[in-house]
Amino acid sequence: MSKIRPSKGAPYARILGVGGYRPTRVVPNEVILETIDSSDEWIRSRSGIETRHWANDEETVAAMSIEASGKAIADAGISAEQIGGVIVSTVSHFKQTPAVATEIADKLGTNKAAAFDISAGCAGFGYGLTLAKGMIVEGSAEYVLVIGVERLSDLTDLEDRATAFLFGDGAGAVVVGPSEEPAIGPTVWGSEGDKSETIKQTVPWTDYRSGEVAKFPAITQEGQAVFRWAVFEMAKVAKEALDAAGISADDLDVFIPHQANERIIDSMVKTLKLPESVTVARDVRTTGNTSAASIPLAMERLLATGEAKSGDTALVIGFGAGLVYAATVVTLP
């Protein structure tokens, strides 16, 4: 018989607060057209994107995360000292070590919170949320900060017609804490590594360092392959998340998919047969694809504008490089 004392965590976990930060510079499609042969109409029809935000030198991954996190902590009605864990999902923090989460935890004023980064691309927020839920139920933290943050403008090839218009910068954060009732459903997540070549960094950092390539590494993708995978496979994953939570599409109030492409969003809405009463996040139009930051940023905007309200039931799903995915049903803060 084990002599280990059982954990004493909360029965359930929930999102208690949300915050977002978008860089001050707004970049319209016209700026993108300076370096690629395209048109504003083509970009909008292919992606739905009208503008995106690009960070300046002061708007670092850490700085944007701290701004978003401060708002989330205030929204949750707690203090930074109560945060027991900081999870940061990003692919655009260019220091291999230490994790940017440790800097964020310190500058926010947490009391030596556990802090680490994860790399799960556009599904990173869902991965972080799942880890935070486990920490709270297991009892290793009472409150956990989950951050999705990207400076994808640093990894964008402005001469690549397929991707130059897609990416934006920003940070979104949520505070996850204890709950007396289920408010974060089971996560349906996974990976399809056999498709990893469809979204990837062009070359390893070592090739750039050694001089084998002169062009700084960037993100590239096979657009049609990604589109087909997202539309057909991710709709199935979203349905599995609904089933795992014990609800149907008719029970949903809000749908917050990863803000990759509005055509993908529209196709998923149709495949899932969501009622017209369901509010659908379309933050991609003015924020672009911010990878791990896109879901919390979209969530924050829906609540701020009143399109969604506290207590609403929302389906969230992220998917991207890896290929990886994560979907769950949550109660909005």
Side-chain angles (χ1 to χ4, degrees):
M1 181 180 294
S2 174
K3 297 179 180 179
I4 299 173
R5 181 182 299 170
S7 300
K8 294 183 179 180
Y12 305 103
R14 70 184 303 122
I15 299 174
L16 299 173
V18 60
Y21 180 83
R22 293 171 173 81
T24 54
R25 182 187 177 192
V26 178
V27 180
N29 289 337
E30 286 73 20
V31 172
I32 307 299
L33 297 175
E34 294 174 3
T35 52
I36 61 171
D37 180 16
S38 188
S39 69
D40 179 62
E41 181 183 3
W42 186 88
I43 293 174
R44 292 184 189 225
S45 65
R46 297 285 292 184
S47 67
I49 298 172
E50 302 167 8
T51 61
R52 74 284 292 147
H53 296 255
W54 284 354
N56 61 34
D57 291 344
E58 287 73 39
E59 292 167 321
T60 63
V61 165
M64 292 190 293
S65 296
I66 290 166
E67 289 291 331
S69 298
K71 295 175 184 177
I73 292 168
D75 192 41
I78 65 170
S79 66
E81 291 85 352
Q82 293 174 274
I83 298 290
V86 177
I87 304 171
V88 178
S89 179
T90 185
V91 299
S92 47
H93 173 57
F94 290 156
K95 287 184 180 179
Q96 194 69 36
T97 193
V100 71
T102 59
E103 177 185 349
I104 295 166
D106 176 62
K107 290 186 175 178
L108 284 172
T110 68
N111 185 22
K112 300 180 180 179
F116 57 95
D117 298 351
I118 59 174
S119 177
C122 306
F125 175 75
Y127 274 53
L129 187 64
T130 303
L131 294 172
K133 173 186 173 183
M135 291 167 70
I136 289 157
V137 173
E138 186 271 339
S140 60
E142 186 176 11
Y143 299 99
V144 178
L145 184 65
V146 180
I147 304 165
V149 56
E150 301 292 1
R151 273 181 55 122
L152 293 181
S153 57
D154 291 332
L155 286 168
T156 299
D157 180 353
L158 294 178
E159 296 178 348
D160 180 0
R161 188 172 184 271
T163 61
F165 60 90
L166 286 175
F167 302 121
D169 303 337
V174 299
V175 171
V176 182
S179 175
E180 292 300 318
E181 59 182 16
I184 301 175
T187 300
V188 178
W189 57 352
S191 65
E192 298 185 31
D194 60 314
K195 300 181 180 66
S196 61
E197 291 296 301
T198 55
I199 307 175
K200 64 180 182 179
Q201 184 171 303
T202 50
V203 295
W205 298 113
T206 49
D207 286 0
Y208 181 73
R209 181 184 64 184
S210 66
E212 290 183 43
V213 294
K215 200 169 189 177
F216 194 76
I219 297 173
T220 185
Q221 68 176 32
E222 299 173 15
Q224 286 302 314
V226 173
F227 182 87
R228 288 193 297 270
W229 176 76
V231 168
F232 296 110
E233 298 303 321
M234 291 305 97
K236 297 176 187 176
V237 171
K239 179 62 167 59
E240 289 178 31
L242 291 175
D243 292 342
I247 68 172
S248 70
D250 291 336
D251 298 313
L252 279 180
D253 300 305
V254 185
F255 179 42
I256 311 177
H258 165 48
Q259 301 293 293
N261 180 307
E262 193 164 35
R263 290 171 62 211
I264 292 174
I265 295 171
D266 289 340
S267 296
M268 291 184 73
V269 168
K270 183 177 180 180
T271 302
L272 289 168
K273 299 179 180 179
L274 297 184
E276 291 187 6
S277 59
V278 174
T279 297
V280 179
R282 299 184 185 279
D283 195 43
V284 67
R285 293 174 179 171
T286 56
T287 307
N289 179 345
T290 56
S291 190
S294 78
I295 290 175
L297 277 174
M299 182 185 295
E300 186 260 353
R301 174 163 281 173
L302 288 176
L303 289 166
T305 60
E307 296 172 81
K309 62 183 185 300
S310 175
D312 278 353
T313 300
L315 169 63
V316 299
I317 178 170
F319 44 85
L323 295 170
V324 294
Y325 54 87
T328 189
V329 176
V330 304
T331 300
L332 295 182

